[in-house]
Amino acid sequence: MDLETFSPGSGRLEPRAALDSDAPALDLNGTWRFRLSPTANAPEDFAGPDYDDAAWDDLPVPSHWALHGHGAPAYTNVSYPIPIDPPRVPDENPTGDYRRAFDLPEGWTGGRLRFEGAESFARVWLNGHELGFSTGSRLPVEYDAGPHLRPGRNVLAVRVHQWSAATYLEDQDMWWLPGIFRDVTLTRSTADVFVRASYEDGRGTLSFDGPGTLSVPELGVEGLEPGTEVTVEVEPWTAETPRLYDAAVTAPEETVRLRVGFRTISIVDGVLLANGRPLLLKGVNRHEFHPEHGRAVPYATMREDVLLMKRHNVNAVRTSHYPPHPAFLDLCDELGLWVIDECDLETHGFGQVGWRANPTDDPRYADALLDRMRRMVERDKNHPSVIMWSLGNEAGVGRNLAVMADWTRERDPSRPLHYEGDRSCEHTDVYSRMYASHDEVEAIGRHEEDPLEDARLDERRRGMPFLQCEYAHAMGNGPGGLAEYQELFERYPRLAGGFIWEWIDHGLAHPEYGYAYGGDYGEPVHDGNFVIDGLVFPDRTPSPGLIDLKKVFEPVRFEFGDGFVRVVNGYGFTDLSHLRFVATVQVEGETVAEHRLDVPAGGGECKLPDTAAGPIGECWLTVRAELAADQPWAEAGHEVAWGQAMLARPESRRVDTLLAFARAGGELTAGDCAFDAVTGRLVRLFGREVDGPRLDLWRAPTDNDRYGGLEATWRALGLHRLTQRVDDVSLDDGLTVRTRVAPAATDLGMWATYRWTFDGGLRLLLDVEPEGEWRDPIPRIGVTMSLPGSVVDRVTWFGSGPGEAYPDTGMAARTGRWSATVEELQTPYVYPQENGHRADVRWAELGGFRVSGEPTFGLTARRWSTAELAAARHRPDLVAGERLYLHLDLAHQGIGTATCGPGALPGYNLMARRATLRLRFDPA
């Protein structure tokens, strides 16, 4: 078999819709016999029904053989793991042979073998007869099995090659994982149905193509003939109100059931509309991934994904970068998500060779690209959740895009076309970009983007809606800048929103590393942890990024005034009647009152309860919008949105009478606190041994710091290897310690003057002043101290929480009283990095003492040092030591999204500057 053919397949039946049919079917998933060969040249005698496969291994189908001890996974983002020489492939071509014996039920006649997905080239035999081959890994294919089926025992044999000419179309920023990874079925269903259900002003228009007649009992539609159109009163389908109507198409040989949603997608005056209303996409990109199963994702996991998205205010999914398992789209229909369905196409690695020989512009690949588009559209055409077809991703430009687009427009003119890789938008209906900066997004929103050379195409593009098909790269700690992007999307009607990259960290379960990423399997070419870039961790635990995104995507806003709150409805297609509103008053984080608010269904102003007589202290009002009743995606009481306002701030604490420091041997003491008399460093705090605090400018670099270049800048400056010099230690009303902090090999430095006073509690005023010309942002300004790890197990604090927050993240953090163990304070990023910072802390209690800010500080507590954190490459590298490292910060550099996209916005850059940190330590 010629693996280097440009043909997409042979012997295959025409593509058709994925349908729920009552025709008999056999599920052929389960345990298959399997053999892996290092090349494509193994004998083909295994396809015979009498072949002895006793020496073979067992392998579950669906699965990837590399995740079951046969070979190993490999990860690349852009680079091809084989030489770029289309359509040629290496001799070293892992090839998996599969065999499955099954018994045919008595009386069975005819049937089709349906494969939902096999990577990348699958050749199929039934009872020794070759049925054909297919490419297009994440798309279904069917073969006519009828002529070769036998009564009783049958043998299905499949040979899957990892590399083929089709590999050049599948460079999709994910693990290379060959095998039969989706379902295999023998079915007697032959039906193909295309239901068209549009909506306008309370009425739906319904028609269909296919065999038989259509019935929708709830609408009184019975026996509708193909090509006949009927108009009925309906409720529309939207992601907010996913109204579906059960329908059946009855043909002589079978009845298929499907769920119909009435909706219309249109573009008017450059604005994307759904059912005549502006559509704002609050989306995520979703690869199919499971840490044990790769892309063979169980149904329960798919459902968990959709539920998590809904619960975090996500309303849209781009199926990056291929059509998902069809059951996922069923869930999107049922639970409500707008979907951009993307073709199984990416040729990104050709960009590394100047796009020479790019398949997108190679006419020999035209049939293969069109085949992929057809199979996606035909399979998914009945899903109301699918609102756009995407021609693919990062495949450059070329004549084959026109072939795909022209066919799709003719087949289904009801859905706009999307493709990001061609900025001229010659073949699309929307203008799509990746990782455009905030400034560029605003310019596009104003129709002021840089012009195209072709005036005709420029005018056409300026009349298109704009979306960011990828933005805010969710890799490691971050992303930053979410709120600023969302504000732009909501301000300019042309901006239709966008999709965060991406949903999940693709960390494969690994016995040594916890979760593996690129390079952990010895790949000669890989892209490291760039596959760890999701809003949820591999086990689908939400990251701080997803918690923030929920806040940014909130469909309800709160605007506080004097004695009232204005509730703003941000939904596009529903009112607020499904929500209840609760106002809670807290003083110093303790609840003192709670009230229900009567909010009109359309939103508006509500009078707030009188809190004038409340207790003295820092007083906060929190208003929450919760589900009033159970929804299919969450139970009653689930919090949808919240807002906060400060009601009262306490007066500043007065300073009590200062007590003098005393000399005792080599120490300077104040009560049961002590300082080293030579260095002036605190060595004992209320009887507990400590080391520090001292000025710290370094943090363990985040992924954004590393990939965006800041880490290299900081290391070149030497900020990870600061030296401390004590110039003066003196006593007056307290203790003053003047130091200079600087790295070797530079004349840049920081003067740090510590002024300690004691009035029963220990007060620190730290003045920082830069010396020299500091041109670049720095990681942090704060102090670090350590104490015995056994002293602190749990930290309680009043400030922002419960999760981490940095200058341009932490939108989900709210002011309150929180408590967590030291372990719970850590964010378990797959690739260890700076994490766990709690912001705007008023006070924190740690193992018998309290530290307070004047007014606030940032808090991080860890059982490993910053150096240990920066050196770690996997979670198990971090081992709790005997010390607790406490960081009390004045400021941090912003996070940004520079792994892919812009760095921190200018307002979040931390420049070296004069600064003062005020802290107070008291016994608890």
Side-chain angles (χ1 to χ4, degrees), residues 265-267 270-274 277-283 315-316 338 340 387-388 418 429-432 441 444-445 464-469 471 485-486 488-499 553:
I265 305 300
S266 59
I267 296 171
V271 178
L272 181 66
L273 305 177
R277 296 185 180 185
L279 176 55
L280 184 61
L281 300 171
K282 302 176 180 180
N315 74 2
W338 310 104
I340 296 181
I387 61 168
M388 288 188 207
H418 168 273
D429 302 304
V430 296
Y431 178 22
S432 178
V441 169
I444 294 170
M464 291 180 175
F466 173 82
L467 62 86
Q468 285 250 61
C469 67
Y471 77 107
Y485 273 124
Q486 192 63 26
L488 293 171
F489 295 155
E490 294 178 5
R491 191 195 318 170
Y492 296 103
R494 185 189 186 191
L495 305 182
F499 299 82
F553 280 177

Side-chain angles (χ1 to χ4, degrees), residues 565-800:
V565 59
R566 179 178 295 108
V567 181
V568 180
N569 180 15
Y571 287 104
F573 304 92
T574 190
D575 59 24
L576 305 179
S577 59
H578 64 294
L579 301 175
R580 65 184 181 218
F581 294 83
V582 181
T584 302
V585 178
Q586 291 187 324
V587 176
E588 295 290 313
E590 297 286 354
T591 299
V592 297
E594 191 164 278
H595 310 270
R596 291 284 293 271
L597 298 179
D598 186 13
V599 177
E605 287 189 6
C606 295
K607 186 177 184 301
L608 291 171
D610 184 10
T611 59
I616 297 173
E618 187 170 325
C619 184
W620 283 83
L621 170 72
T622 304
V623 178
R624 306 189 309 276
E626 304 173 342
L627 291 180
D630 291 349
Q631 297 290 332
W633 48 272
E635 295 180 350
H638 168 79
E639 184 178 273
V640 172
W642 61 273
Q644 273 193 320
M646 181 183 287
L647 299 178
R649 184 189 299 275
E651 296 181 2
S652 299
R653 173 175 174 167
R654 68 182 181 84
V655 178
D656 294 329
T657 303
L658 297 181
L659 304 176
F661 284 68
R663 291 187 180 273
E667 294 182 339
L668 304 172
T669 63
D672 52 358
C673 301
F675 297 79
D676 182 278
V678 176
T679 64
R681 183 174 300 173
L682 181 68
V683 296
R684 193 163 60 253
L685 180 63
F686 307 120
R688 292 168 177 79
E689 176 263 320
V690 299
D691 181 16
R694 59 177 177 177
L695 180 65
D696 193 359
L697 306 179
W698 178 244
R699 73 182 184 198
T702 66
D703 285 325
N704 288 301
D705 295 337
R706 291 190 297 116
Y707 285 96
L710 275 178
E711 178 187 10
T713 298
W714 293 341
R715 289 189 181 277
L717 283 173
L719 299 184
H720 61 301
R721 49 175 175 78
L722 295 175
T723 62
Q724 310 261 340
R725 186 187 76 213
V726 177
D727 281 6
D728 183 61
V729 178
S730 60
L731 288 175
D732 40 38
D733 290 339
L735 172 65
T736 300
V737 182
R738 181 169 172 79
T739 69
R740 188 176 188 273
V741 178
T746 177
D747 60 356
L748 300 179
M750 286 278 194
W751 289 101
T753 303
Y754 304 79
R755 295 181 174 87
W756 295 93
T757 55
F758 184 73
D759 60 358
L762 194 61
R763 185 169 182 265
L764 169 64
L765 188 151
L766 171 62
D767 285 322
V768 178
E769 184 176 355
E771 182 180 38
E773 189 175 355
W774 294 75
R775 298 179 178 178
D776 298 295
I778 60 176
R780 78 190 319 152
I781 299 175
V783 295
T784 301
M785 59 190 294
S786 71
L787 56 155
S790 59
V791 172
V792 179
D793 177 59
R794 177 169 289 276
V795 179
T796 299
W797 74 100
F798 176 45
S800 292

Side-chain angles (χ1 to χ4, degrees), residues 546-564:
L546 181 59
I547 306 301
D548 279 354
L549 191 68
K550 177 184 178 181
K551 179 64 178 170
V552 171
F553 280 177
E554 282 179 346
V556 182
R557 296 281 192 267
F558 303 95
E559 300 170 356
F560 293 92
D562 187 10
F564 72 89

